[in-house]
Amino acid sequence: MDLHGPENTIRLSATDRGLRAAVALLRDGRQVAFPTETVYGLGADARHPRAVAGIYRAKGRPRFNPLIVHVSNIDAARALSVFDPTAEALAAAFWPGPLTLVLPRREGNGLADLVTAGLGTVALRVPAHDLARRLLMAFGGPLAAPSANPSGRISATTADHVMEGLSGEIAGVLDGGPTGVGLESTIIGLEDGMPKLLRPGGLCVEDIEAKLDQPLTNPEHTKITAPGQLASHYAPKADLVLNADVADAGALWLGFGPLNGRRGLSLSPTSDLTEAATALFGHLHELDRMAGESGVQRILVDPIPMQGLGRAINDRLTRAAAPRDS
Ligand code: TXA
Ligand code: MG
């Protein structure tokens, strides 16, 4: 079966012409990366088994990790899944935006089985980015889109990051500049009426709990196929040391707050968590490049407070620091 790649990856501009070209490629069953407000997604027609298989191929992604389906509005989401009152309330409050809802699949919804990796649920999201929305409208159907990075590597927040990781593996990338939020969406599971936090992300847990007027459960010990299954993720090539407070002349720092003369980059010189989230993946890409160039083995990371977006930032950093096989 020909799933494309290696091929010439085209950079498409954020114009009507670029959008038309992206839509033509997607209709042809090809894979095209596009910006969302969180990170760049690697899109393909969610109803087309070969198109979806091409996403797994391009990312080198394990088959069992299901994909998020992006739609242009809540009606399109309702056509693919079964909404309960909690889902309705969350969608009304936070869509379009950095929230993904995992809901029971609607029978005969037309999605390729590979999208949900055989689960009875489907992850859905209405992105807020203008270019993503225009693409979804012009395409006129659901787009499966995981983050546009090779499996296990740092997510892409610019078209350049996408090119570094996936050039030659995908048909194109729509260049919409750097993404705004910088962290993937928050994923909430609603399969059995109890809202569960499956992945912290760009929408603060506190905001969701305030809306629901109840705390989210944290399903560490359930069998759900959640992103946490893959302990090592978002990994730079250098070793990452969290909550560092040691002086290490040979290391590079990922700071939070002022660097005060330390070598490296600060996520936010003023200790602002929103700014830090936006900068996280870009700084990891950049520090990894700097470490490679100067032969540095270790990137030391300042402590990040465990509140608001800090929860998602710590989640990504913990995965980036986790032991890996290769
Ligand atoms: O912000 C985002 O969410 C980005 C942009 C492109 O929208 N997308 C993204 O997708 O981060 P991805 O594939 O890298 O992460 C999706 C996560 C996966 O780790 C998967 O385990 C989980 O969503 N997921 C998808 N479908 C699921 C399901 N039916 N049940 C539980 N988890 C699911
Ligand atoms: Mg990802």
Side-chain angles (χ1 to χ4, degrees), residues 15-38:
T15 58
D16 286 342
R17 190 151 170 256
L19 276 172
R20 275 199 302 276
V23 167
L25 289 166
L26 291 166
R27 293 218 169 112
D28 191 34
R30 313 282 290 278
Q31 295 76 41
V32 177
F34 62 95
T36 79
E37 76 279 26
T38 59

Side-chain angles (χ1 to χ4, degrees), residues 19-325:
L19 276 172
R20 275 199 302 276
V23 167
L25 289 166
L26 291 166
R27 293 218 169 112
D28 191 34
R30 313 282 290 278
Q31 295 76 41
V32 177
F34 62 95
T36 79
E37 76 279 26
T38 59
V39 298
Y40 274 71
L42 177 54
D45 188 337
R47 305 158 298 191
H48 188 323
R50 278 177 40 141
V52 177
I55 292 179
Y56 288 91
R57 193 257 321 133
K59 283 184 62 100
R61 176 176 246 201
R63 284 289 149 118
F64 51 80
N65 211 11
L67 308 175
I68 296 175
V69 175
H70 297 64
V71 290
S72 55
N73 59 56
I74 188 169
D75 285 336
R78 288 195 195 101
L80 300 174
S81 64
V82 183
F83 272 61
D84 68 5
T86 310
E88 290 288 348
L90 289 177
F94 300 116
W95 278 356
L99 172 70
T100 293
L101 298 177
V102 174
L103 299 169
R105 265 186 90 136
R106 192 174 283 288
E107 275 304 307
N109 65 6
L111 293 177
D113 283 332
L114 263 183
V115 169
T116 52
L119 297 173
T121 53
V122 56
L124 290 159
R125 167 162 127 75
V126 178
H129 195 286
D130 176 62
L131 201 55
R133 294 175 63 71
R134 282 160 63 203
L135 179 67
L136 284 164
M137 308 266 267
F139 179 65
L143 289 177
S147 52
N149 51 277
S151 188
R153 312 300 310 185
I154 303 165
S155 299
T157 53
T158 65
D160 284 345
H161 295 159
V162 176
M163 281 300 218
E164 278 163 33
L166 297 174
S167 178
E169 302 294 337
I170 63 176
V173 52
L174 257 181
D175 189 348
T179 60
V181 177
L183 289 173
E184 295 88 344
S185 59
T186 302
I187 305 182
I188 302 294
L190 292 168
E191 308 95 281
D192 53 11
M194 283 292 286
K196 295 186 189 72
L197 177 67
L198 299 182
R199 176 177 75 182
L203 179 65
C204 293
V205 168
E206 290 89 334
D207 293 347
I208 299 171
E209 290 179 333
K211 187 77 219 168
L212 293 175
D213 211 10
Q214 78 180 96
L216 294 167
T217 59
N218 215 327
E220 232 90 278
H221 39 266
T222 66
K223 61 171 177 41
I224 295 168
T225 309
Q229 271 201 336
L230 302 174
S232 167
H233 211 95
Y234 309 98
K237 295 188 188 82
D239 289 332
L240 212 60
V241 181
L242 303 189
N243 300 310
D245 59 2
V246 288
D248 180 342
L252 281 169
W253 280 88
L254 180 63
F256 183 70
L259 282 178
N260 294 329
R262 294 172 294 167
R263 201 154 64 102
L265 299 170
S266 176
L267 288 170
S268 169
T270 58
S271 304
D272 177 274
L273 286 167
T274 304
E275 182 183 35
T278 306
L280 178 66
F281 291 131
H283 278 16
L284 282 174
H285 277 282
E286 181 60 15
L287 282 172
D288 211 19
R289 197 191 56 72
M290 289 164 66
E293 263 176 15
S294 51
V296 166
Q297 309 288 334
R298 301 209 303 162
I299 298 169
L300 307 181
V301 187
D302 274 340
I304 317 270
M306 224 12 195
Q307 70 196 45
L309 289 176
R311 202 158 157 171
I313 295 171
N314 278 306
D315 171 81
R316 302 305 187 273
L317 285 169
T318 306
R319 289 180 210 290
R324 355 180 159 129
D325 301 334

